[in-house]
């Protein structure tokens, strides 16, 4: 720095700073300096001689024992070296505690930071060996607790005052309070001691008791530790505590401090910030999960929650009419079996495939308890040979009274609707296309194929389930208008029916779509091409391109008389679309709009809350740091599942280590799968883990991808040896790129937070938008072992 050259001059001027002839002395000693330099020296003098009200606390920062000293109306924690520096330097500052004295005490020669800066760099740092590309990214990720939100019911005030904590085994810790409320507190304490969640401690406030002359603050208040969070400085730790019993002394102290420092105290919105951050990650998970959340009333499926990446699973369970038949997959008998009273969770594997016959789709599905061994092997041999083969896991959780109490707080106006719900389900697609041949490794049983007819779904009734998008935003690409006019539908001849013309009328109309009601049933299926003529409109405009317009079938009603169409392709379709756009725009004021029914925000929030406390996967979130993809955070419920415990053993309490999964596979599992390209289905990998215990050490983990094995027999051998020597774990890894991580609901929360803490809201927004990838870990050990015959 430029001022380093003038340290001697500054030291010469410090003792004369408060004298009357200081300006004359300053001019005399700086006569040979130019104007800008003289100004810098003067500004540095003013800074060093400014009064300081910050106490010095060297505990954990210096190599030496610190003791409390009452100096200049404050309690300082200094060691012998710092005390000698103080006695030597205080005269130069006019016997007053100023910024220069504070800085001198914070930078003594035995300060850990100073000693670390003075250490020479190791020799190998001159020419470091080039690391492997995939070993460079760190594999630690923050652990986020999903479904658990801090709800602060009282105001906290920021008070920085010394506090003495009495720990078990007669240990005493000195700390500083950060904020205090009538029922809780947050303290900064030394990290040299061990703190455990749930631990009981006793707190004393000596400085506050002296200031307020209230001896009750020295009688001890019992707190319970709620959380332990690392500090930016490794020497300290943050403790979040709750007061065990109400205490009038702390209430009076808070009120007195608030009155004394009304202008300087500011409200603490840390709970709101923590809650908004957690919900931001939760909404990102809900937006991109490939599982389908389900909500049941008894054995009846009421709601399905759709996301951007589970639509392909939902659409698979639609027949050739595009009618949902998922109600037969989730039959009353299956739900009744899984949802027995007294069970906190139950899940089963379901195998399915479809069969096409005479232009109709027939679904077959069978759960594990519903088949004998021979039937299961026959089902596998016939189904796994088809492209429609699916392996599904259905998990069911009962809705408890505690859930209903929370729902009453979140959405009291919807309590009647939500009170009818009894169970929450999660439908996961575990299909591995590359592994379908594993189901055919055993010999085909000598059973006739007609044995599987008992597993065929009926075609009717279709599902009455309401599929709602997880975020309250419009899903239609254009407005629909209620308009009734006669139409003629020209149907081409097919093997199922003769060609001809059907008549009917429109229900609603848009630029590119039609919703028709026909006088006679239409024998067609999704994707068929038809031609529509608007008879009545042609009488008004005979030259209009409204004759034999090509359309494509989107959906047929079960009675085949209601049909929804979308515009086809070609020159005729383009001309008619242009004409209809002008016609609708010209008559827009007279055409009533067919309103899109969107789910209410409180209903979605209630569904989200129930889902997020029942995770059966580990969602992970990725960001790019220095052009390399890194996992930033992992969401989980407590207690952690098996995979979460393994990752925690490799890391620490707050950071999970993902080295067993991603080490040497960053490019394959992260970089390639999270390129910013819009995808509808996630990228999927299967990973097999052999967990080998080591006495007194972290277990050794051997991991292999599905593609690392040449045959199904080699996979079976790996799993068998892993079970003999330790544990076997199979993980399904999904990954999708994030193009827009935020949602409408989280945008509302950020807007509310910005009113009280603009910079923190902006910081959270930047954190969310910097996420560039998302994925999920599913534990599929049971399915893989069954598939491999183990």
């Amino acid at each position: 720095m430029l001022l380093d050259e003038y340290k001697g001059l500054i030291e010469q001027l410090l003792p004369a700073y408060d004298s009357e002839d200081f300006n004359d002395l300053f001019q005399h000693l700086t006569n040979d300096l130019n104007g800008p330099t003289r100004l810098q020296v003067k500004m540095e003098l003013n800074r060093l001689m400014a009064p300081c009200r910050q106490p010095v606390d060297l505990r954990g920062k210096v190599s030496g024992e610190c003791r409390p000293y009452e100096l200049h109306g404050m309690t300082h924690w200094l060691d012998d070296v710092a005390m000698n520096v103080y006695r030597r330097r205080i005269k130069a500052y006019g016997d007053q505690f100023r910024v220069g004295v504070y800085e001198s005490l914070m930078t003594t020669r035995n300060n850990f930071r100073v000693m670390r800066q003075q250490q020479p760099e190791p020799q190998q740092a001159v020419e470091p060996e080039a690391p492997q590309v995939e070993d460079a990214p760190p594999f630690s990720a923050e652990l986020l607790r999903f479904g658990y939100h801090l709800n602060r019911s009282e105001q906290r005030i920021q008070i920085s005052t010394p506090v003495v904590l009495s720990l078990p085994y007669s240990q005493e810790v000195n700390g500083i309070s950060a904020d205090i409320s009538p029922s809780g507190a947050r303290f900064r304490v030394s990290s040299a001691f061990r703190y455990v969640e749930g631990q009981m401690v006793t707190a004393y406030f000596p400085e506050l008791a002296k200031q307020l002359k209230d001896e009750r603050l020295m009688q001890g208040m019992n707190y319970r530790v709620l959380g332990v969070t690392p500090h930016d400085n490794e020497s300290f730790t943050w403790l979040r505590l709750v007061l065990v019993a109400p205490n009038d002394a702390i209430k009076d102290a808070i009120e007195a401090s608030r009155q004394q420092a009304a202008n300087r105290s500011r409200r603490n919105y840390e709970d709101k910030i923590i809650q908004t951050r957690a919900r931001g990650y939760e909404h990102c998970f809900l937006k991109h999960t490939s599982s389908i959340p389900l909500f049941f009333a008894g054995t009846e499926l009421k709601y399905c929650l759709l996301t951007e990446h589970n639509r392909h699973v939902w659409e698979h369970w639609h027949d050739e009419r595009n009618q949902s038949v998922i109600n037969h997959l989730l039959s009353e008998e299956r739900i009744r079996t899984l949802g027995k009273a007294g069970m906190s969770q139950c899940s089963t594997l379901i195998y399915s495939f479809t069969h096409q016959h005479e232009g109709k789709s027939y679904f077959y599905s069978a759960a594990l308890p519903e088949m004998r061994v021979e039937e299961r092997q026959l089902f596998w041999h016939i189904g796994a040979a088809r492209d429609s083969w699916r392996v599904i896991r259905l998990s069911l959780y009962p809705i408890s009274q505690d859930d209903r109490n929370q729902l009453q707080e979140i959405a009291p106006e919807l309590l009647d609707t939500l009170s009818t719900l009894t169970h929450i389900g999660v439908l996961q697609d575990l299909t591995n296309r590359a592994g379908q041949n594993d189901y055919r490794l055993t010999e085909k049983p000598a059973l006739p194929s007609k044995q599987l007819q008992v597993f065929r779904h009926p075609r009717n009734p279709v599902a009455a389930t309401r599929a709602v998008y997880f975020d309250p935003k419009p899903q239609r690409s254009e407005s629909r208008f209620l308009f009734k006019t006669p139409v003629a539908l020209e149907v081409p001849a097919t093997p199922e029916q003769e060609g001809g013309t059907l008549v009917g009328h429109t229900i609603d109309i848009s630029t590119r779509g039609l919703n028709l009601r026909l006088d006679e049933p239409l024998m067609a299926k999704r994707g068929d091409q038809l031609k529509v003529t608007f008879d009545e409109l042609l009488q008004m405009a005979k030259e209009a391109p409204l004759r034999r317009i090509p359309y494509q079938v989107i959906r047929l009603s079960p009675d085949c008389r209601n049909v929804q169409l979308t515009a086809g392709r070609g020159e005729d379709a383009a001309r008619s679309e242009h004409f209809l756009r002008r016609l609708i725009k010209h008559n827009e004021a007279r055409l009533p709009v067919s309103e899109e029914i969107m789910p209410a925000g409180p209903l979605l929030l209630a569904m989200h809350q129930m889902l997020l406390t029942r995770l059966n996967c580990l969602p992970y979130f990725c960001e790019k740091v220095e052009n390399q993809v890194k996992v930033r955070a992992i969401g989980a419920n407590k207690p952690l599942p098996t995979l979460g415990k393994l990752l925690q053993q490799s890391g620490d309490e707050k950071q999970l280590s993902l080295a067993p999964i991603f080490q040497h596979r960053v490019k394959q599992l992260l970089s390639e799968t999270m390129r910013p390209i819009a995808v509808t289905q996630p990228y999927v990998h299967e990973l097999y883990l052999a967990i080998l215990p080591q006495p007194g050490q972290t277990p050794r983990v051997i991991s292999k991808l599905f593609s690392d094995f040449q045959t199904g027999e080699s996979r079976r051998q790996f799993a068998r040896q892993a079970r003999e020597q330790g544990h076997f774990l199979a993980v399904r890894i999904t990954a999708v790129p994030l193009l827009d991580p935020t949602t409408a609901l989280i945008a509302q929360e950020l807007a509310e937070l910005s009113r009280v803490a603009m910079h923190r809201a902006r910081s959270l927004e930047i954190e969310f938008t910097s996420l560039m990838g998302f994925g999920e870990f599913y534990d599929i050990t049971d399915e893989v072992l069954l598939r491999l015959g183990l």
Side-chain angles (χ1 to χ4, degrees):
M1 291 178 58
L2 176 64
L3 289 176
D4 290 343
E5 302 175 11
Y6 303 97
K7 280 187 176 180
L9 173 62
I10 294 173
E11 287 293 327
Q12 191 177 358
L13 289 168
L14 284 176
Y17 185 83
D18 294 321
S19 64
E20 296 179 356
D21 58 345
F22 171 75
N23 291 329
D24 296 335
L25 180 61
F26 180 83
Q27 291 292 338
H28 175 70
L29 294 179
T30 60
N31 192 37
D32 57 339
L33 302 181
N34 57 35
T37 303
R38 187 185 294 112
L39 178 62
Q40 282 188 300
V41 172
K42 186 67 170 291
M43 291 175 63
E44 179 66 4
L45 283 167
N46 292 335
R47 188 186 72 82
L48 292 174
M49 298 300 288
C52 180
R53 297 301 303 168
Q54 175 69 35
V56 179
D57 189 350
L58 298 181
R59 288 172 294 179
K61 298 180 181 179
V62 296
S63 177
E65 183 181 355
C66 296
R67 303 179 184 86
Y69 293 93
E70 290 291 334
L71 302 171
H72 307 283
M74 292 179 287
T75 302
H76 304 268
W77 285 84
L78 309 176
D79 68 329
D80 295 337
V81 175
M83 197 62 197
N84 291 333
V85 171
Y86 169 81
R87 292 188 179 121
R88 190 173 63 251
R89 297 288 294 162
I90 193 65
K91 293 295 182 181
Y93 291 87
D95 289 324
Q96 297 183 38
F97 192 70
R98 311 201 189 204
V99 172
V101 179
Y102 177 86
E103 291 180 353
S104 298
L105 297 178
M106 295 298 291
T107 56
T108 55
R109 56 180 171 79
N110 65 334
N111 187 287
F112 291 136
R113 181 169 55 86
V114 174
M115 291 190 293
R116 187 167 55 249
Q117 291 174 350
Q118 292 175 350
Q119 287 179 352
E121 295 184 358
Q123 188 63 31
Q124 65 263 25
V126 177
E127 292 183 355
E129 182 181 350
Q132 296 294 326
V133 173
E134 294 190 352
D135 290 342
F139 294 104
S140 62
E142 177 187 358
L143 176 61
L144 298 175
R145 185 176 178 183
F146 273 20
Y148 175 77
H149 297 148
L150 292 173
N151 293 308
R152 185 174 294 169
S153 58
E154 58 191 5
Q155 182 60 48
R156 293 187 180 184
I157 186 169
Q158 292 184 335
I159 301 177
S160 180
T161 184
V163 59
V164 179
L165 294 183
S166 177
L167 306 183
Y169 307 107
S170 302
Q171 291 179 317
E172 191 172 280
V173 181
N174 291 278
I176 297 291
S177 65
D179 55 59
I180 304 176
S181 73
S183 64
R186 189 166 68 110
F187 300 148
R188 190 194 72 176
V189 294
S190 172
S191 58
F193 297 84
R194 185 171 179 265
Y195 311 96
V196 182
E197 291 185 12
Q199 184 180 39
M200 301 298 295
V201 299
T202 304
Y204 305 89
F205 299 89
E207 185 69 26
L208 207 57
K210 186 183 298 183
Q211 289 179 1
L212 301 177
K213 298 179 180 180
D214 189 345
E215 292 299 325
R216 294 178 299 173
L217 296 172
M218 285 301 295
Q219 294 175 1
M221 303 173 192
N222 294 325
Y223 284 90
R224 186 174 70 251
V225 178
L226 287 180
V228 184
T229 307
H231 192 274
D232 295 338
N233 186 334
E234 296 179 356
S235 302
F236 299 105
T237 296
W238 288 114
L239 290 186
R240 288 189 292 107
L241 308 104
V242 62
L243 199 59
V244 175
N247 191 295
D248 294 335
I250 198 67
K251 292 181 181 179
D252 296 341
I254 290 174
E255 185 60 32
S257 298
R258 182 176 294 155
Q259 293 176 359
Q260 292 176 3
N263 296 327
R264 289 180 288 129
S265 64
R266 62 184 180 87
R267 300 180 64 186
N268 190 324
Y269 296 94
E270 194 66 27
D271 62 324
K272 179 67 175 177
I273 294 166
I274 294 174
Q275 179 176 305
T276 303
R277 182 173 184 265
R279 283 186 174 173
Y281 283 96
E282 290 171 350
H283 281 235
C284 184
F285 156 68
L286 292 168
K287 183 175 184 177
H288 298 93
T289 182
S290 56
S291 304
I292 299 185
L294 311 168
F295 296 86
F296 293 89
T299 58
E300 181 185 359
L301 179 62
K302 285 289 188 180
Y303 299 100
C304 287
L305 211 57
L306 296 186
T307 72
E308 295 184 358
H309 294 96
N310 68 12
R311 287 184 183 272
H312 67 284
V313 181
W314 167 255
E315 290 172 356
H316 173 77
W317 295 100
H318 285 64
D319 59 14
E320 80 286 348
R321 303 166 296 182
N322 201 10
Q323 290 292 334
S324 174
V325 291
I326 198 172
N327 55 315
H328 301 295
L329 172 73
L330 309 172
S331 63
E332 291 187 7
E333 296 166 354
R334 287 176 183 165
I335 302 305
R336 190 178 297 111
T337 302
L338 291 175
K340 288 183 179 179
M343 300 182 68
S344 61
Q345 174 189 356
C346 192
S347 63
T348 187
L349 292 171
I350 304 176
Y351 302 92
S352 75
F353 63 88
T354 59
H355 175 65
Q356 305 296 326
H357 180 67
E358 295 182 352
K360 296 180 180 179
S361 297
Y362 294 91
F363 288 82
Y364 290 74
S365 71
L368 277 180
E370 300 169 357
M371 299 181 287
R372 304 193 311 272
V373 175
E374 296 82 2
E375 289 177 331
R376 187 184 72 207
Q377 292 175 345
L378 177 64
F379 199 98
W380 283 4
H381 269 272
I382 294 177
R386 301 168 182 259
D387 292 337
S388 59
W389 175 251
R390 294 291 187 276
V391 182
I392 294 160
R393 179 164 60 197
L394 173 63
S395 303
L396 212 63
Y397 308 84
I399 297 177
S400 64
Q401 186 58 42
D402 291 340
D403 293 319
R404 292 188 174 89
N405 294 338
Q406 289 184 358
L407 297 181
Q408 188 171 2
E409 298 178 4
I410 298 173
E413 68 278 10
L414 297 172
L415 189 60
D416 292 339
T417 302
L418 297 172
S419 61
T420 61
L421 301 179
T422 59
H423 291 82
I424 299 170
V426 179
L427 195 68
Q428 296 170 321
D429 187 353
L430 306 183
T431 310
N432 181 0
R433 294 293 178 197
Q436 284 187 213
N437 194 52
D438 289 355
Y439 299 95
R440 299 162 57 86
L441 294 176
T442 58
E443 292 186 7
K444 185 176 181 180
L447 293 177
S449 300
K450 64 180 181 181
Q451 287 284 107
L452 302 183
Q453 290 299 318
V454 295
F455 302 115
R456 190 179 75 181
H457 294 185
R459 288 177 55 81
N460 291 311
V462 299
T465 307
R466 183 182 173 193
V468 297
Y469 193 63
F470 85 102
D471 205 23
K473 68 177 186 178
Q475 297 296 294
R476 291 178 179 174
S477 58
E478 58 183 9
S479 300
R480 302 179 187 178
F481 299 92
L482 299 175
F483 179 62
K484 184 176 180 179
T485 184
V487 295
L489 199 65
E490 190 175 316
V491 184
T494 63
E496 291 81 17
Q497 69 173 9
E498 298 180 358
T501 302
L502 299 178
V503 295
H505 62 270
T506 60
I507 298 175
D508 59 62
I509 185 173
S510 67
T511 302
R512 291 187 51 80
L514 289 177
N515 187 4
L516 306 181
R517 181 66 180 175
L518 302 177
D519 296 342
E520 300 176 25
L522 169 66
M523 295 297 105
K525 61 182 182 298
R526 177 173 52 180
D528 284 353
Q529 303 292 329
L530 307 173
K531 293 188 176 179
V532 177
T533 299
F534 293 86
D535 297 327
E536 189 175 275
L537 294 179
L538 274 174
Q539 295 177 5
M540 303 177 186
K542 296 182 179 181
E543 301 300 323
L546 298 174
R547 184 179 286 106
R548 304 184 77 242
I549 305 172
Y551 277 91
Q552 184 178 4
V553 177
I554 295 180
R555 181 178 286 107
L556 273 170
S557 62
D559 63 2
C560 298
R561 293 180 60 191
N562 184 261
V563 56
Q564 295 179 22
L565 307 169
T566 185
R569 298 180 179 179
E571 188 177 343
D572 292 341
R575 283 202 308 269
S576 64
E577 181 182 337
H578 180 67
F579 180 84
L580 288 174
R581 182 180 292 108
R582 291 168 51 200
L583 182 65
I584 290 173
K585 186 175 181 180
H586 183 72
N587 297 278
E588 191 169 358
R590 289 177 285 181
L591 292 174
V593 178
S594 175
E595 297 292 342
E596 180 180 0
I597 300 176
M598 290 188 292
L603 173 64
L604 292 176
L605 288 175
M607 290 180 170
H608 295 172
Q609 183 63 26
M610 289 189 289
L611 281 171
L612 293 166
T613 55
R614 295 171 173 85
L615 289 183
N616 58 354
C617 68
L618 290 177
Y620 64 94
F621 307 86
C622 297
E623 61 181 352
K624 183 169 284 189
V625 180
E626 296 179 354
N627 294 324
Q628 292 181 334
V629 182
K630 176 188 178 296
V631 179
R632 181 187 183 97
I634 292 181
N637 293 149
K638 288 189 177 182
L640 289 176
T642 304
L643 178 60
K645 292 177 181 177
L646 173 64
L647 300 179
Q648 190 176 50
Q649 287 178 349
S650 303
D652 54 44
E653 186 177 354
K654 293 296 181 180
Q655 296 284 326
L656 304 185
S657 174
L658 297 172
I661 295 177
F662 292 124
Q663 194 166 30
H664 308 301
R665 302 188 183 93
V666 172
K667 181 178 179 182
Q668 186 176 4
L669 298 185
L670 292 178
S671 300
E672 293 181 352
T673 58
M674 294 182 180
R675 290 175 296 177
I677 302 172
V679 297
T680 56
Q681 298 186 24
Y683 299 96
V684 176
H685 292 88
E686 266 188 21
L687 185 71
Y688 297 160
L689 302 172
I691 306 167
L692 310 179
Q694 300 185 106
Q697 300 181 30
T698 303
R700 180 183 171 216
V701 180
I702 302 175
S703 61
K704 286 193 175 184
L705 284 172
F706 181 92
S707 57
D708 294 338
F709 299 96
Q710 298 299 322
T711 63
E713 182 58 34
S714 61
R715 289 191 288 275
R716 181 188 286 120
Q717 185 69 15
F718 179 86
R720 183 185 294 113
Q721 291 179 355
R723 298 179 74 192
E724 291 173 354
Q725 301 177 23
H727 304 284
F728 173 74
L729 194 63
V731 182
R732 179 182 174 91
I733 306 172
T734 68
V736 295
L738 296 183
L739 303 181
D740 182 16
T742 57
T743 66
L745 288 176
I746 201 61
Q748 293 176 7
E749 291 206 19
L750 285 173
E752 293 175 3
L753 180 61
S754 65
R755 298 190 185 101
V756 294
M758 172 65 78
H759 65 291
R760 298 300 296 274
R762 178 58 179 161
S763 177
L764 287 180
E765 184 180 14
I766 293 174
E767 180 178 343
F768 296 151
T769 54
S770 67
L771 298 176
M772 51 86 66
F774 166 82
E776 294 168 289
F777 299 133
Y778 296 114
D779 186 343
I780 56 171
T781 307
D782 53 347
E783 199 280 323
V784 170
L785 292 176
L786 189 64
R787 183 202 313 170
L788 297 176
L790 297 176

